[in-house]
C-alpha cells in the first residue's frame, strides 16, 4: 500500500522555490502540524510534499490525516488524485466518502458523485451523515434527477437525519431544481420543527420563481419579512430570486419594494442583484430606471451588458442596443451567444436587416460564437417582418431543429406570412407546426383565416371543425395593470368587473374624441393580412375592437391612476394593429405615456407615436 501511496506524490522541479521553510522541516514530525499545513495549502507542490512526509512518518494508514490530504487535493480540484488516495484506504470512514463525493460535485462531475454514493450504499460498512446527504442532493440538483433524488430521500427518512436543517435545505433545493415545487413546499413546511434559515427560505422562494409561480415567490418573501421568529435578513440570492419573480409578472411596484430592501441591506453594489434589478425594470417597462441601474454598476460583465442590450432591443431602440454592443466589445468584454441573440433581436425589432445579416455572418469570425437555431430563428423573424418572406422561408428550410425550437422557427415564419398576406407561407408554416404537434391552435387559426381571406370558406370551416374536434382552444387574450399593489386583469369582451359601466362610458368618450381627430377605427385597419374580421359587419367590428382587453385595461388605468403618471399594461398576446393605432392617438389626447408589454416586445406610446415606429 505504501508503494502505491508514494506513486501519487508529485515532487517540485529542481528550479522551483520549495514551499516548505527550514523551520517547517523542524516541525514535520508533528501530525498536528501536517494537518494544519494541509488545511492552509493552496499549492499543489506543497500538498504533494506533505503527502511524501505523511508516508515517511508512517501516517499513511491514519484516516484522520489521509482525510485531510484528500480534502487538500479536492480544494485544488485534483479529484483524480483524491480518488486514488481514497481507493487505497483500507477502511475509509464517512469523512473520506463525503470528501470524495463533495470533490466530484465541486468539479462539475455530479454523475460520478452519485456513483461514489451508490458504491458507499452497496459497501454498507459506513452510514452516510448529514454532509454526505447534502452533497448527494446537490448532485441530484445539478442533474435535475428527481427519480434518484426521491430514492435517496427515502433512505434519508429511514436514517433519522431528516431533522438537520442543512440536509433539509439541500433536499428542498433538489426538488425545486427538479421542478417538483409541491414536494419542495412539503419539505419546507416540515422544516418548521427543525428550524428554517435564510438558505431554506431562499431555496423555496427560488423554486417558485424558477417554476413560473412568481406570485407564490412574492407572498413567501412577504411572509419571511413578517416572521418575527427569525433573525435572518434577506441575502443577495433571495433578493435576486424575488426580483426575478417581479420581472416575470411585470410587478413594478413590488419590484420597487424589493429594490428598497436591496438598498437597506447594502446589496446595490452586488453584481448579481444589480443585474437582476436592471432586468426587472426593463421587463416592467421602466427603461429609464434600468439605465440608471446599469450606469451605477462599477465593474460590468457580459451579463450586465447583455441584459441592457436585450432591454433596448425589446423597447425598439435598435441603434442604441448596437452602440452598447460596440462599447462592450471595445472594453474587451467577450460577447456570448445570448449577447448576439440580443443584437439580432435589436435588428429584428428595428428594421435593421442588413446590419442583422452582417452580425449573423460574422459571429464565428469576430466573436467565436457559432450560430444555433435560436439565432437563425431571429433572422427568419427579421427578414419576415421586413417583407423578405421568400428569403426567410428559404433560410428556415435549411435550419435543422428539434420540435421545441422548430415551433419558434416556423411560428416566426407563420407570423411573417400572416403579416404580409402570404397565404402560401401561412399554409406551409401551419402544416409544419401541426405535423410536429407544436403551437397547433395558433397554426389552425392562422391557416383557417388564410383560407378565409383567399375565399376558401369551406376549407376554413373544415379546419375550424377539425380544431374543435381535437380539443384545441385558442388562448384567451388577457391584459393586466398594476394599481396600488393590486393587479387587475381584463379579458377580451369581458365586462364583469364592478366598474364596467364607468369603463365603457370612458371608452365611448375616448372613441368619440378619437373620431373627431379622424380615427376611422377597425374599418381602416382591415387588410388581406389581418383576417381578424372576416365576414363581420362594420358596426360589429367597432364593437369587437372596443372590447379588446388592452383597451379595457387602459380605460381602467386612466380612470384610477393619477394624472400625468405612466400607464403600464401587460398583454399575453401580440398587440393588434387597430389597438396599436388607437393607443398612439390616445397617448396624444390624454397627454400620457402608455407602455404596453406584449408577448414579443414593448410599445411605448407618447405624443401620438410609438417607439416601435410601426415596425413589429
Amino acid at each position: 500500500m505504501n508503494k502505491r501511496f508514494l506513486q501519487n506524490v508529485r515532487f517540485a522541479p529542481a528550479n522551483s522555490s520549495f514551499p516548505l521553510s527550514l523551520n517547517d522541516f523542524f516541525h514535520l514530525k508533528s501530525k498536528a502540524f501536517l494537518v494544519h499545513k494541509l488545511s492552509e495549502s493552496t499549492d499543489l507542490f506543497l500538498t504533494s510534499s506533505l503527502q511524501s512526509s505523511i508516508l515517511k512518518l508512517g501516517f499513511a494508514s491514519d484516516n484522520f490525516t489521509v482525510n485531510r490530504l484528500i480534502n487538500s487535493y479536492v480544494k485544488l480540484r485534483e479529484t483524480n488524485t483524491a480518488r486514488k488516495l481514497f481507493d487505497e484506504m483500507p477502511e475509509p470512514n464517512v469523512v473520506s466518502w463525503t470528501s470524495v463525493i463533495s470533490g466530484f460535485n465541486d468539479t462539475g462531475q455530479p454523475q460520478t458523485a452519485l456513483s461514489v454514493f451508490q458504491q458507499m450504499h452497496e459497501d454498507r460498512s459506513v452510514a452516510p451523515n448529514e454532509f454526505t446527504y447534502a452533497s448527494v442532493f446537490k448532485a441530484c440538483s445539478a442533474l435535475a434527477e428527481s427519480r434518484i433524488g426521491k430514492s435517496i430521500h427515502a433512505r434519508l427518512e429511514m436514517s433519522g437525519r431528516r431533522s438537520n436543517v442543512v440536509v433539509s435545505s439541500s433536499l428542498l433545493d433538489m426538488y425545486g431544481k427538479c421542478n417538483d415545487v409541491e414536494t419542495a413546499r412539503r419539505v419546507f413546511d416540515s422544516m418548521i420543527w427543525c428550524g428554517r434559515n435564510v438558505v431554506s427560505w431562499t431555496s423555496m422562494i427560488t423554486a417558485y420563481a424558477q417554476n413560473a409561480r412568481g406570485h407564490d415567490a412574492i407572498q413567501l418573501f412577504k411572509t419571511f419579512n413578517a416572521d418575527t421568529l427569525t433573525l435572518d435578513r434577506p441575502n443577495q440570492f433571495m433578493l435576486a430570486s424575488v426580483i426575478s419573480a417581479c420581472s416575470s409578472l411585470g410587478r413594478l411596484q413590488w419590484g420597487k419594494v424589493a429594490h428598497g430592501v436591496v438598498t437597506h441591506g447594502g446589496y446595490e453594489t452586488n453584481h448579481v442583484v444589480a443585474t437582476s434589478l436592471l432586468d426587472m425594470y426593463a421587463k416592467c417597462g421602466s427603461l429609464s430606471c434600468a439605465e440608471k441601474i446599469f450606469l451605477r454598476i462599477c465593474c460590468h460583465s457580459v451579463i450586465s451588458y447583455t441584459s441592457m442590450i436585450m432591454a433596448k432591443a425589446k423597447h425598439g431602440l435598435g441603434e442604441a442596443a448596437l452602440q452598447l454592443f460596440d462599447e462592450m466589445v471595445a472594453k474587451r468584454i467577450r460577447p456570448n451567444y445570448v449577447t448576439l441573440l440580443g443584437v439580432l433581436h435589436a435588428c429584428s425589432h428595428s428594421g435593421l436587416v442588413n446590419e442583422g445579416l452582417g452580425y449573423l455572418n460574422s459571429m464565428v469570425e469576430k466573436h467565436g460564437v457559432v450560430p444555433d437555431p435560436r439565432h437563425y430563428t431571429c433572422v427568419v423573424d427579421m427578414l419576415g417582418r421586413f417583407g423578405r418572406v421568400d428569403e426567410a422561408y428559404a433560410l428556415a428550410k435549411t435550419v435543422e431543429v428539434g420540435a421545441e425550437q422548430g415551433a419558434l422557427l416556423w411560428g416566426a415564419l407563420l407570423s411573417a406570412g400572416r403579416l404580409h398576406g402570404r397565404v402560401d407561407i401561412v399554409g406551409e408554416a401551419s402544416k409544419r407546426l401541426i405535423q410536429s404537434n407544436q403551437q397547433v391552435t395558433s397554426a389552425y387559426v392562422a391557416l383557417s383565416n388564410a383560407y378565409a381571406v383567399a375565399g376558401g370558406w369551406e376549407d376554413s370551416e373544415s379546419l375550424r371543425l377539425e380544431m374543435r374536434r381535437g380539443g384545441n382552444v385558442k388562448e384567451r387574450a388577457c391584459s393586466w395593470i398594476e394599481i396600488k399593489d393590486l393587479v387587475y386583469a381584463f379579458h377580451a369582451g369581458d365586462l364583469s368587473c364592478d366598474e364596467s359601466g364607468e369603463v365603457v362610458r370612458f371608452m365611448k368618450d375616448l372613441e368619440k374624441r378619437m373620431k373627431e381627430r379622424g380615427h376611422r377605427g377597425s374599418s381602416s385597419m382591415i387588410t388581406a393580412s389581418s383576417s381578424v374580421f372576416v365576414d363581420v359587419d362594420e358596426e360589429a367590428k367597432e364593437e369587437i375592437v372596443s372590447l379588446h382587453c388592452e383597451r379595457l385595461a387602459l380605460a381602467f388605468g386612466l380612470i384610477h391612476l393619477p394624472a400625468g403618471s405612466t400607464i403600464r399594461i401587460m398583454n399575453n398576446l401580440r398587440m393588434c394593429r387597430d389597438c396599436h393605432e388607437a393607443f398612439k392617438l390616445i397617448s396624444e389626447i390624454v397627454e400620457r405615456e402608455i407602455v404596453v408589454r406584449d408577448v414579443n416586445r414593448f410599445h411605448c406610446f407618447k405624443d401620438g407615436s410609438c417607439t416601435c415606429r410601426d415596425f413589429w
Side-chain angles (χ1 to χ4, degrees):
M1 179 210 165
N2 286 349
K3 186 179 290 185
R4 284 183 297 155
F5 191 93
L6 187 59
Q7 286 173 352
N8 293 321
V9 176
R10 302 188 187 192
F11 294 101
N15 60 351
S16 70
S17 55
F18 200 65
L20 290 174
S21 66
L22 288 173
N23 189 49
D24 288 338
F25 276 110
F26 181 76
H27 295 285
L28 270 178
K29 290 186 179 180
S30 163
K31 173 179 167 180
F33 179 80
L34 287 170
V35 168
H36 173 70
K37 274 293 178 183
L38 284 169
S39 66
E40 284 186 340
S41 177
T42 57
D43 184 281
L44 180 58
F45 290 129
L46 172 58
T47 299
S48 296
S49 301
L50 291 169
Q51 180 180 346
S52 177
S53 299
I54 289 168
L55 175 66
K56 291 174 182 176
L57 295 171
F59 295 131
S61 58
D62 179 71
N63 274 4
F64 181 83
T65 307
V66 177
N67 283 341
R68 293 304 181 275
L69 181 60
I70 289 173
N71 275 329
S72 184
Y73 278 121
V74 164
K75 282 192 301 180
L76 295 168
R77 306 181 75 81
E78 291 287 329
T79 48
N80 290 333
T81 305
R83 179 63 191 265
K84 287 176 184 176
L85 286 171
F86 170 79
D87 289 339
E88 292 164 7
M89 295 178 74
E91 293 182 1
N93 59 19
V94 67
V95 176
S96 317
W97 286 97
T98 304
S99 295
V100 174
I101 292 169
S102 177
F104 283 120
N105 260 340
D106 293 342
T107 53
Q109 301 177 72
Q111 192 66 60
T112 309
L114 289 179
S115 297
V116 174
F117 179 75
Q118 183 60 27
Q119 182 185 341
M120 180 185 188
H121 176 67
E122 292 170 357
D123 187 83
R124 295 188 181 277
S125 60
V126 178
N129 65 11
E130 293 87 346
F131 301 104
T132 317
Y133 279 114
S135 293
V136 174
F137 288 133
K138 182 180 177 181
C140 293
S141 297
L143 295 167
E145 183 55 83
S146 61
R147 182 182 59 82
I148 295 176
K150 285 179 179 178
S151 68
I152 297 171
H153 182 184
R155 295 182 207 170
L156 171 66
E157 295 290 352
M158 290 186 288
S159 74
R161 298 182 183 275
R162 182 65 164 77
S163 60
N164 181 277
V165 68
V166 174
V167 176
S168 292
S169 294
S170 300
L171 180 63
L172 192 167
D173 183 66
M174 184 270 292
Y175 280 120
K177 289 194 168 109
C178 292
N179 302 324
D180 189 349
V181 185
E182 298 305 324
T183 306
R185 183 62 198 240
R186 284 196 292 273
V187 172
F188 177 77
D189 289 340
S190 71
M191 290 178 68
I192 194 168
W193 305 113
C194 62
R196 301 168 181 147
N197 58 16
V198 69
V199 175
S200 48
W201 283 92
T202 299
S203 294
M204 193 64 241
I205 289 170
T206 303
Y208 279 137
Q210 292 179 347
N211 286 278
R213 292 180 58 172
H215 287 293
D216 292 318
I218 292 171
Q219 288 304 317
L220 192 61
F221 181 63
K222 287 182 179 180
T223 304
F224 172 79
N225 281 321
D227 189 353
T228 57
L229 298 178
T230 180
L231 297 176
D232 289 329
R233 302 315 313 147
N235 61 18
Q236 64 266 38
F237 305 108
M238 180 187 290
L239 291 169
S241 292
V242 171
I243 293 164
S244 174
C246 296
S247 300
S248 63
L249 296 170
R251 294 293 302 269
L252 180 61
Q253 295 307 315
W254 254 100
K256 288 181 176 180
V257 170
H259 189 175
V261 178
V262 167
T263 303
H264 181 71
Y267 290 112
E268 277 192 309
T269 57
N270 180 276
H271 191 75
V272 174
V273 174
T275 305
S276 298
L277 281 172
L278 188 165
D279 185 63
M280 181 274 295
Y281 279 118
K283 287 180 178 174
C284 290
S286 183
L287 188 61
S288 59
C289 289
E291 288 174 326
K292 288 176 183 176
I293 297 292
F294 179 78
L295 292 172
R296 288 178 193 162
I297 296 175
C298 299
C299 186
H300 284 289
S301 69
V302 64
I303 297 173
S304 57
Y305 263 105
T306 298
S307 297
M308 200 65 232
I309 288 168
M310 196 68 83
K312 287 186 180 291
K314 292 287 187 182
H315 281 78
L317 303 174
E319 292 88 350
L322 298 186
Q323 286 174 7
L324 261 183
F325 179 72
D326 291 340
E327 178 185 304
M328 171 186 174
V329 173
K331 290 183 177 180
R332 299 186 182 279
I333 298 174
R334 187 173 181 177
N336 58 23
Y337 78 96
V338 183
T339 316
L340 271 302
L341 200 59
V343 168
L344 292 174
H345 269 298
C347 296
S348 177
H349 289 296
S350 300
L352 304 172
V353 180
N354 293 330
E355 291 87 342
L357 291 173
Y359 282 113
L360 176 71
N361 295 328
S362 64
M363 282 171 59
V364 177
E365 182 183 347
K366 287 187 176 180
H367 309 294
V369 177
V370 178
D372 67 19
R374 288 165 291 189
H375 298 101
Y376 287 115
T377 297
C378 198
V379 173
V380 166
D381 179 62
M382 177 181 70
L383 290 168
R385 288 173 189 272
F386 202 65
R388 294 162 65 168
V389 182
D390 290 319
E391 290 177 68
Y393 178 49
L395 178 59
K397 288 192 294 183
T398 66
V399 182
E400 294 184 9
V401 290
E404 188 175 338
Q405 189 60 42
L408 298 176
L409 176 69
W410 291 101
L413 197 64
L414 177 70
S415 297
R418 188 167 48 193
L419 178 65
H420 296 287
R422 291 289 300 272
V423 178
D424 57 331
I425 297 296
V426 170
E428 177 64 23
S430 297
K431 287 173 184 175
R432 294 232 186 191
L433 289 168
I434 292 168
Q435 287 169 3
S436 64
N437 199 32
Q438 298 288 323
Q439 294 187 17
V440 174
T441 303
S442 298
Y444 271 124
V445 171
L447 188 55
S448 173
N449 285 340
Y451 283 141
V453 168
W457 291 101
E458 290 185 5
D459 290 333
S460 176
E461 185 58 27
S462 175
L463 272 175
R464 295 276 178 173
L465 287 172
E466 187 179 337
M467 178 179 165
R468 285 194 287 271
R469 280 198 300 268
N472 297 299
V473 181
K474 185 179 179 181
E475 184 179 4
R476 193 180 182 191
C478 178
S479 295
W480 59 98
I481 186 169
E482 186 178 12
I483 299 175
K484 293 182 179 178
D485 195 31
L486 293 175
V487 173
Y488 298 86
F490 299 86
H491 293 92
D494 185 359
L495 293 173
S496 59
C497 73
D498 295 338
E499 300 174 55
S500 59
E502 187 178 359
V503 168
V504 170
R505 284 191 297 273
F506 191 90
M507 287 170 62
K508 287 186 179 297
D509 178 62
L510 264 182
E511 287 167 14
K512 180 181 176 182
R513 294 164 69 183
M514 288 163 64
K515 286 180 179 179
E516 289 172 355
R517 298 198 181 201
H519 181 65
R520 293 172 57 198
S522 60
S523 58
S524 65
M525 301 305 298
I526 307 308
T527 66
S529 63
S530 70
S531 68
V532 179
F533 301 109
V534 175
D535 201 30
V536 180
D537 62 57
E538 293 300 315
E539 187 176 345
K541 289 173 186 175
E542 289 192 7
E543 183 67 22
I544 291 170
V545 172
S546 69
L547 295 180
H548 277 191
C549 53
E550 51 262 65
R551 294 202 189 193
L552 295 172
L554 175 61
F556 191 83
L558 288 170
I559 291 169
H560 291 282
L561 286 170
S565 62
T566 300
I567 308 287
R568 289 186 172 84
I569 298 168
M570 305 293 160
N571 201 12
N572 70 327
L573 300 177
R574 185 177 185 271
M575 192 176 195
C576 78
R577 286 191 172 275
D578 192 78
C579 286
H580 190 270
E581 290 300 305
F583 274 44
K584 286 197 294 185
L585 187 53
I586 291 170
S587 70
E588 186 177 24
I589 292 171
V590 300
E591 298 181 346
R592 301 275 281 273
E593 184 178 0
I594 305 167
V595 178
V596 178
R597 185 180 89 176
D598 72 9
V599 71
N600 291 322
R601 59 167 300 151
F602 279 91
H603 299 271
C604 182
F605 303 94
K606 189 176 182 181
D607 300 328
S609 64
C610 178
T611 52
C612 76
R613 293 173 292 182
D614 298 335
F615 187 86
W616 92 103

